[in-house]
Amino acid sequence: MKVSLSNCIEDVEWSRMKEIYCSVGWKKHDEEKIKKVFQSSNVVAIAYDKNKITGFGRALSDGVFNAAIYDVVVDEHYQNKGIGHQIIENLLAQLKNVSCVHLVSTSGNEEFYRKAGFREMKTGMARYLNPSLAKEYLE
C-alpha cells in the first residue's frame, strides 16, 4: 500500500489519533494527552492514506547520542501492509545522526522490530511508577 508520510503535526486530527490508539487496545489515551505527547516529541511520523491518518510514531532525542522511539501504532484495519515499516524507516531517517536509537515496544511486537534491525539490550532497564504497568512490562 502506498501511503504518504508527514513529519508535521500542525493539521493532525487528534480524534483520529485517539481512534487509532483505541483500535489496538490503548483506550486510556485521551485527545489532550495524545496531543501533548506528540507536541513534546521532537521527531514524528504520521502515515496517511490520502487524507486519512493510518498510523504514526514518535521519538525523543538529544540529537547526538541517544533517541528513543515510542508509540509506533497502525490502525488495525491498515496493519500488515508495510505502513509500520515505513513509519520506522522515516523515524530512523530523521535520527540518522544519533549514535543509539532505543525503542519501547508493547509485548508481542518484538519480531516486527527485529526485522527493522533492533536487538535486545544487555543493559536496558526501566522503572514504572504505576504498579500495574510495572507488572505488565518489567521482568
Side-chain angles (χ1 to χ4, degrees):
M1 166 175 259
K2 178 71 173 143
V3 298
S4 60
L5 289 163
S6 172
N7 304 128
C8 175
I9 59 168
E10 209 168 283
D11 297 320
V12 163
E13 184 183 342
W14 299 108
S15 61
R16 176 66 182 140
M17 300 282 276
K18 181 180 176 181
E19 286 175 13
I20 294 170
Y21 275 114
C22 286
S23 82
V24 298
W26 297 8
K27 300 183 189 296
K28 294 181 181 178
H29 294 57
D30 64 45
E31 289 178 35
E32 282 305 309
K33 284 182 184 171
I34 294 166
K35 184 176 181 180
K36 185 174 183 176
V37 298
F38 274 83
Q39 287 176 331
S40 299
S41 299
N42 53 339
V43 178
V44 299
I46 312 290
Y48 289 89
D49 177 12
K50 298 183 175 75
N51 292 325
K52 184 177 184 179
I53 298 173
T54 59
F56 46 79
R58 65 187 186 90
L60 300 172
S61 177
D62 60 25
V64 180
F65 295 122
N66 293 291
I69 293 176
Y70 301 94
D71 296 0
V72 176
V73 183
V74 176
D75 183 288
E76 65 179 344
H77 299 104
Y78 287 87
Q79 290 182 4
N80 300 309
K81 298 177 189 285
I83 295 169
H85 178 74
Q86 290 178 55
I87 291 168
I88 287 290
E89 290 303 314
N90 183 282
L91 292 170
L92 291 172
Q94 293 180 73
L95 297 167
K96 68 180 184 246
N97 295 321
V98 176
S99 298
C100 180
V101 178
H102 299 87
L103 173 80
V104 177
S105 168
T106 53
S107 299
N109 293 321
E110 295 85 358
E111 189 57 33
F112 169 79
Y113 293 109
R114 280 188 195 100
K115 288 179 182 175
F118 288 90
R119 300 291 176 260
E120 292 181 24
M121 293 176 58
K122 294 178 182 178
T123 60
M125 299 177 85
R127 180 177 173 184
Y128 285 86
L129 301 180
N130 179 324
S132 66
L133 292 175
K135 184 176 180 182
E136 181 177 353
Y137 291 109
L138 299 178
E139 293 181 357

